[in-house]
Amino acid sequence: MSEVLRDRARYTVAVRALCEFTAKQGDLDLRFTPSPTAQEGIAGHAVVTARRGDGYRTEVSLSGDYGALHVRGRADGYDARENLLEEIKTHRGQLASMPDNHRHLHWAQLRVYGHLLCAELGLEQVNLALVYYEIGSGQETVLRETRGAPELRAMFEEQCGRFIAWAEQELRHREARDAALAALPFPHAAFRPGQRQLAETVFKANSAGRCLLAQAPTGIGKTVGSLFPVLKAAPSQRIDKIFFLAAKTPGRQLVLDAATTIRGANAELPLRVLELAARDKACEHPDKACQGESCPLAKGFYDRLPAARAAALDVPVLDRAALREVGLAHDVCPYYLGSEMARWSDVVVGDYNYYFDGGAMLYALAQANGWRASVLVDEAHNMVARARAMYSSRIDRAALRLARAAAPAPVKKALTKLARAWGEIDAQAPHPYQVLPAPPDKFLAALQGATSAINDHLAEQAVPLDPALQEFLFDALAFGRLAESFGEHSLCDVAREGKDRDKDTTISIRNVVPAPYLKPRFEDAHSVTLFSATLSPWHYFADLLGLPADTGWVDVESPFTAAQLQVTIAADISTRYQHRAASLAPIARLMADQYARQPGNYLAFFSSFDYLAQAADLFARQHPEVPVWRQERRMSERERAAFLDRFEPSGRGIGFAVLGGAFGEGVDLPGARLIGAFVATLGLPQLNPVNEQLRERMQAMFGAGYDYTYLYPGLQKVVQAAGRVIRTEQDQGVVYLIDDRFDTPDVRALLPRWWRQ
């Protein structure tokens, strides 16, 4: 929340942040209501200010001090002739439906600006106006009052007085934190092999304010080796926040464990660590709406938040369990308590989407508050696929039919118009899969009309939408937002799926190059370090993710030796789709021979669940004496844990898994828990019309269609899966790469250097 510029005795806070901290009250209310987009809000402000006279000043910069607190911001407009200061808010629908606590917050902001203006211009009083602009009708609703300078000053000081104790506490925390970090010792007696190289490179990248790609093998302690140097760089580089992002829950737990280890080296270290969990995992009442009339933890949320916030600061590592304990002790929602504590934590641990997706909370907070943030991205080989998903969207015609059936008359008319525009696309794209040059303008206009009709209905009626209608609205809004930025980085296609292919069409915007969306995220951070055991070749990630030109690259030396891992290429077997039936018997024989020579725990990876099932069934029939267990589709967390529990140090058997799935990376089975892996596939993405379009686009943009679409993503999964075998410098194991293509020079070149094949 705080926009902190570290002058020793001064704490700088934005007007909005000050008022959000001190003036929010009442219930948490997150019911969906139609609201202007950011572009609509900017346009609405421009319309209102254009209606004012020539002497009207816009974006009036104002600032003032109260003790150690420096408050600053920009008022929307000031008319000197009328001595009128305005705060402009855009909205959609009936103003009466706006919650009272929102208007209370708006008045608080305007009155702070009023005081700052009076102080700057020496005014005895000022006229204040809240201007609510309804974007649909263009109508302004103006609420006015006149306040004297002494009264406004008293209000300002009351606001600051409620915040300054917190601000002074935060200044003391920052000073103590930075002093402790400057003297922080490494938490272990010595660095592991490779760990020092990684740590030094990460430290240099943060000292220079550059981004970094770090390929670092599993087993060197990447988590501590990346977090520790950023903590050490924080005082000198004035780093406000460290965002440590991981793709999966086990990765986030490793970060929390690393933070605990680092704190263990200095029990008095004033470092606040927060874990952000997904909303569906943190919600205490999933059957209730996020508003005071429904959920008891939303009722009076902002009234109880100050006490919960203060209690949360006393917990050094606010993981999901700790947040829940604090939240329930104060009767506030743990999930939204976590969102609040992101403003006051030093290290925030969460998923990629918290910084990189279109509505990323951490990125928005960093922008709004001027934070200098260092971002660490674990298992960064996942970033390309994850970012593509963040900036892709689809809507299907079956969902439109359901929405239309549930729609009231005014909305149904707009949805019928959309259905006609959709029918024209279907007529022009009759094939099972077809790429369009761009989202058709007529379709987008009809889609915009449909979303506006739904929003207008919702604003006027102020009643919950039918679930089918609401789901379609969300999909349509997401599609419309991506259509605004459509370019060569994305594809628009029509696919015919389902039982009735004439009616069950889907229109998608598929992002293929996330770089245009991610580039600002890299540029606005102080430093971003992406690390993984599989980041080769570096230009693949630099091109697709949009990394800055001065991004550094390091390939950390492995602590492991070729003597630890026997890598065998089974070049006499083909796992190509047309050869899979023939491959089953030789694969079973190879696995059985290895198991007979060295009984123990093994993982066997296949390219699909169907291939896995065929191989596991045959092996179990032919070798019933060998214990076999297999990955199933859509396993729960408990089922995944049970699968891994089978790998006991004294155990024996073969676990069958899908390459690139839950057990292909982020799984730690050291020593005798896993002594070998069979990888019966190159991991190449499926050959289908979508991937072929992707290949063509990669070829056009980078001259490497096959490599960027198939080879690099596939080999990354293979190396990740094989990396489950050797986890420590004491481990010994075997890996079988089963396919003749592993024996080609271009594939061998992408395998780890320390392997002896």
Side-chain angles (χ1 to χ4, degrees):
M1 178 185 297
S2 57
E3 183 183 40
V4 184
L5 305 177
R6 290 312 179 310
D7 295 333
R8 280 184 176 273
R10 191 166 79 156
Y11 191 105
T12 300
V13 62
V15 169
R16 178 171 179 172
L18 170 69
C19 294
E20 284 182 340
F21 187 90
T22 58
K24 277 191 173 181
Q25 60 186 31
D27 299 347
L28 183 69
D29 192 342
L30 294 165
R31 286 172 290 187
F32 174 76
T33 55
S35 59
T37 64
Q39 292 85 353
E40 288 173 333
I42 293 170
H45 274 69
V47 169
V48 172
T49 56
R51 293 171 176 174
R52 306 304 188 248
D54 293 337
Y56 189 82
R57 291 170 54 199
T58 62
E59 296 290 316
V60 183
S61 295
L62 297 167
S63 63
D65 297 316
Y66 179 81
L69 199 61
H70 181 68
V71 182
R72 69 181 189 182
R74 290 178 180 171
D76 288 328
Y78 176 61
D79 188 333
R81 291 168 300 184
E82 295 188 33
N83 190 24
L84 177 66
L85 187 67
E86 292 187 324
E87 181 73 6
I88 302 166
K89 301 294 182 183
T90 57
H91 71 104
R92 184 191 291 273
Q94 298 178 5
L95 185 60
S97 64
M98 181 179 291
D100 290 339
N101 57 5
H102 286 198
R103 196 168 301 163
H104 184 83
L105 179 62
H106 299 159
W107 274 119
Q109 289 178 237
L110 180 56
R111 288 161 184 162
V112 169
Y113 284 129
H115 160 72
L116 296 176
L117 183 73
C118 286
E120 181 174 300
L121 301 182
L123 303 176
E124 294 183 0
Q125 66 177 31
V126 65
N127 299 313
L128 304 175
L130 269 181
V131 180
Y132 289 102
Y133 176 77
E134 206 285 316
I135 62 168
S137 64
Q139 179 180 349
E140 293 180 33
T141 301
V142 182
L143 308 178
R144 297 183 61 156
E145 67 177 25
T146 300
R147 297 276 184 174
E151 185 180 14
L152 289 171
R153 180 182 181 86
M155 292 178 177
F156 173 75
E157 291 181 349
E158 192 272 336
Q159 293 278 93
C160 291
R162 295 173 59 190
F163 184 80
I164 197 165
W166 186 272
E168 290 172 345
Q169 167 190 286
E170 289 301 292
L171 281 173
R172 291 193 300 269
H173 166 75
R174 180 59 178 266
E175 291 172 356
R177 187 203 79 170
D178 286 354
L181 291 180
L184 184 67
F186 189 67
H188 301 296
F191 286 92
R192 295 182 190 178
Q195 192 179 43
R196 179 182 290 278
Q197 182 187 6
L198 174 64
E200 289 178 349
T201 309
V202 172
F203 182 84
K204 290 176 182 177
N206 277 268
S207 297
R210 296 173 61 193
C211 293
L212 173 68
L213 274 170
Q215 180 165 272
T218 298
I220 67 168
K222 292 195 294 289
T223 310
V224 171
S226 55
L227 178 57
F228 174 76
V230 180
L231 291 171
K232 291 294 290 183
S236 61
Q237 297 304 310
R238 296 156 62 95
I239 294 172
D240 299 304
K241 306 286 181 183
I242 300 171
F243 301 147
F244 205 125
L245 311 177
K248 298 179 181 179
T249 301
R252 294 191 284 278
Q253 186 57 51
L254 288 175
V255 185
L256 298 172
D257 294 343
T260 301
T261 298
I262 290 171
R263 286 185 56 84
N266 182 351
E268 302 302 319
L269 178 64
L271 185 72
R272 301 171 183 165
V273 181
L274 169 70
E275 178 190 16
L276 293 175
R279 178 173 165 178
D280 60 344
K281 293 183 178 179
C283 182
E284 290 291 318
H285 300 288
D287 59 324
K288 295 179 172 58
C290 292
Q291 50 101 358
E293 295 176 5
S294 176
C295 179
L297 299 180
K299 184 74 172 175
F301 175 88
Y302 290 109
D303 300 328
R304 294 190 294 274
L305 177 60
R309 183 169 51 207
L313 289 188
D314 291 333
V315 183
V317 179
L318 269 174
D319 60 11
R320 178 176 157 189
L323 265 175
R324 181 175 187 271
E325 183 177 349
V326 173
L328 297 184
H330 292 81
D331 292 324
V332 299
C333 172
Y335 175 77
Y336 287 102
L337 175 60
S339 299
E340 170 68 19
M341 296 313 298
R343 306 168 186 268
W344 312 108
S345 299
D346 303 304
V347 179
V348 183
V349 183
D351 187 84
Y352 296 165
N353 64 286
Y354 280 106
Y355 188 80
F356 287 108
D357 80 7
M361 179 184 75
L362 293 179
Y363 179 70
L365 285 173
Q367 290 294 102
N369 299 301
W371 290 338
R372 182 172 289 194
S374 180
V375 184
L376 296 168
V377 183
D378 191 14
E379 302 294 357
H381 60 278
N382 290 298
M383 268 295 294
V384 172
R386 285 290 304 276
R388 281 173 171 164
M390 292 174 194
Y391 295 99
S392 297
S393 180
R394 57 176 276 171
I395 51 177
D396 66 69
R397 198 164 182 181
L400 172 59
R401 289 199 300 272
L402 291 174
R404 211 167 137 211
V411 174
K412 186 169 291 188
K413 182 178 179 181
L415 293 177
T416 300
K417 185 176 181 181
L418 175 61
R420 286 198 297 268
W422 200 315
E424 292 180 17
I425 293 176
D426 286 348
Q428 296 165 9
H431 302 294
Y433 176 82
Q434 194 162 339
V435 174
L436 305 178
D441 291 339
K442 185 175 181 180
F443 175 79
L444 291 178
L447 189 70
Q448 173 64 40
T451 57
S452 295
I454 299 172
N455 279 332
D456 289 344
H457 165 74
L458 187 59
E460 291 169 4
Q461 302 299 321
V463 294
L465 285 176
D466 178 90
L469 191 57
Q470 179 169 295
E471 182 177 356
F472 181 79
L473 173 62
F474 290 167
D475 290 343
L477 289 172
F479 190 96
R481 285 193 295 269
L482 288 176
E484 292 175 358
S485 57
F486 186 82
E488 69 168 351
H489 52 72
S490 297
L491 296 168
C492 181
D493 59 39
V494 180
R496 298 177 180 273
E497 303 170 343
K499 296 179 180 179
D500 189 341
R501 295 198 168 194
D502 290 332
K503 294 182 179 179
D504 293 337
T505 55
T506 298
I507 302 177
S508 301
I509 293 177
R510 302 178 194 270
N511 177 255
V512 295
V513 181
Y517 297 109
L518 301 188
K519 187 177 180 181
R521 312 296 168 109
F522 293 118
E523 293 175 344
D524 291 340
H526 173 69
S527 173
V528 181
T529 296
L530 301 102
F531 57 95
S532 169
T534 49
L535 285 182
S536 291
W538 67 269
H539 59 79
Y540 167 80
F541 294 94
D543 287 344
L544 295 187
L545 298 179
L547 291 163
D550 65 347
T551 296
W553 159 256
V554 62
D555 190 358
V556 177
E557 291 294 326
S558 174
F560 309 133
T561 66
Q564 290 181 255
L565 184 67
Q566 177 186 326
V567 180
T568 301
I569 295 177
D572 58 340
I573 301 175
S574 169
T575 63
R576 294 171 180 83
Y577 184 79
Q578 63 269 32
H579 301 149
R580 284 185 184 168
S583 73
L584 295 173
I587 289 174
R589 187 163 53 250
L590 180 151
M591 294 169 59
D593 290 346
Q594 171 60 35
Y595 187 87
R597 283 192 300 271
Q598 189 179 6
N601 292 319
Y602 293 85
L603 269 169
F605 293 98
F606 295 84
S607 56
S608 69
F609 279 101
D610 289 341
Y611 196 14
L612 179 157
Q614 295 171 35
D617 289 345
L618 177 64
F619 187 87
R621 286 198 306 270
Q622 293 183 345
H623 305 281
E625 75 283 1
V626 180
V628 167
W629 56 100
R630 65 181 75 183
Q631 178 181 356
E632 304 291 348
R633 300 176 191 267
R634 295 178 289 277
M635 295 174 79
S636 66
E637 286 191 22
R638 185 168 61 181
E639 290 169 333
R640 291 197 293 268
F643 181 95
L644 294 175
D645 287 343
R646 295 286 298 269
F647 293 88
E648 297 178 349
S650 59
R652 292 185 178 186
I654 301 176
F656 285 72
V658 172
L659 190 70
F663 308 111
E665 61 180 78
V667 171
D668 197 23
L669 299 170
R673 293 190 66 191
L674 184 68
I675 64 169
F678 308 95
V679 185
T681 170
L682 258 71
L684 304 182
Q686 184 181 11
L687 187 67
N688 59 35
V690 174
N691 283 334
E692 280 298 281
Q693 287 294 325
L694 184 63
R695 180 187 60 78
E696 290 182 14
R697 187 62 57 88
M698 295 296 96
Q699 185 65 33
M701 296 181 70
F702 306 112
Y706 175 78
D707 290 348
Y708 275 32
T709 305
Y710 295 106
L711 185 61
Y712 297 159
L715 266 293
Q716 287 160 15
K717 289 186 286 187
V718 169
V719 175
Q720 281 289 326
R724 300 312 96 202
V725 178
I726 302 298
R727 310 297 294 175
T728 73
E729 294 170 71
Q730 291 75 43
D731 287 355
Q732 298 281 330
V734 298
V735 167
Y736 284 86
L737 304 178
I738 306 172
D739 193 282
D740 58 290
R741 289 168 291 179
F742 281 115
D743 205 25
T744 59
D746 57 337
V747 171
R748 281 178 172 266
L750 295 171
L751 301 178
R753 290 178 297 163
W754 67 273
W755 287 8
R756 182 185 301 151
Q757 303 150 29

